[in-house]
Amino acid sequence: MFTDTHLDGFRRDGCAVITDFISPEQVATLRQRIDELLRSFDPENHPLTTFATGQSQQQQPDMHIGDEYFFESADKTSFFLEEGAIDSSSGRLTVDAPRAINKIGHGLHLTEPVFAQLTHSVQVKDIARKLEYKDPRVLQSMVICKQPGIGGAVPWHQDSTFLFTQPLSACGFWLALEDCTLDNGCLEYIPGSHLTTPVTRRFVRKQDNSGTEMVSIAPDDAEMEGVGGNGVPIEVAAGSLVLINGQVLHRSSHNYSAKSRWIYTFHIVEGAAEYDQRNWLQMPAGAELTKL
């Protein structure tokens, strides 16, 4: 249950943890479906699109994430690979296909019944109501696997950089499907940074749709590298929900452990806020963001 204590903490810190948000039986059901999806992945009929989030992505911001497969994922079940899962010289997988997957998304709330049911649950709607959303819309639903040994680091960022609205309105729902610790790359965040760190950049499609780029939207734009220091780890048990304000600084480290870190996450934005065509994630022509 999302209590007033949770709400006060979320407003103060930019994150809130709700333990036992779903039951062990619900966790098992979601994990079973993820396992089925992973085993269904066929690398021979896939563009082998990786998802770069670490140092290589900072050095080459257009790397691997400007192709049609990525752009058309808003309403689909799409597979994106760990950077460390592909041999750079041969282009072949270096691990078994199921272990190569970084994430599955970005339209699981539309394509997968068990994830749709959770996303549109009474508990989620109650949280959105208490956060004072008038017309919450769902987008970017995905499973992130954080594979053992090769699960890539995600540097400091703000979700509103990637899901930009005017006014800002993004909120992340991050559900642990395994115990998440520092060893396997749990979330880390800077408490209160949503109140002190403005969103100064946007991750957008290039005008010719040839790729993506990070663009400045403020004169005091600064690189995020090192901005957050060490951060506060959010170590949670399976079944816990972490709420993430779209402006709060957060990251996760590389998973060097022998254990995966499966989570399901989706975001909501305010339907009355402007979500323009520059955003990288777009629904197909004629479709709108999904009502919660």
Side-chain angles (χ1 to χ4, degrees), residues 17-22 27 174-181 234-242 262:
V17 176
I18 307 169
T19 58
D20 300 318
F21 185 74
I22 62 173
V27 170
W174 193 97
L175 185 67
L177 301 178
E178 297 183 283
D179 293 348
C180 301
T181 68
I234 306 177
E235 296 186 290
V236 295
S240 300
L241 176 69
V242 183
W262 289 7

Side-chain angles (χ1 to χ4, degrees), residues 206-251:
K206 291 183 176 179
Q207 291 186 348
D208 62 1
N209 254 15
S210 64
T212 54
E213 59 184 344
M214 195 72 76
V215 298
S216 174
I217 57 172
D220 58 346
D221 184 19
E223 292 295 326
M224 288 293 179
E225 182 66 23
V227 71
N230 292 326
V232 174
I234 306 177
E235 296 186 290
V236 295
S240 300
L241 176 69
V242 183
L243 285 179
I244 307 170
N245 183 288
Q247 289 180 256
V248 82
L249 287 166
H250 60 289
R251 71 174 181 185

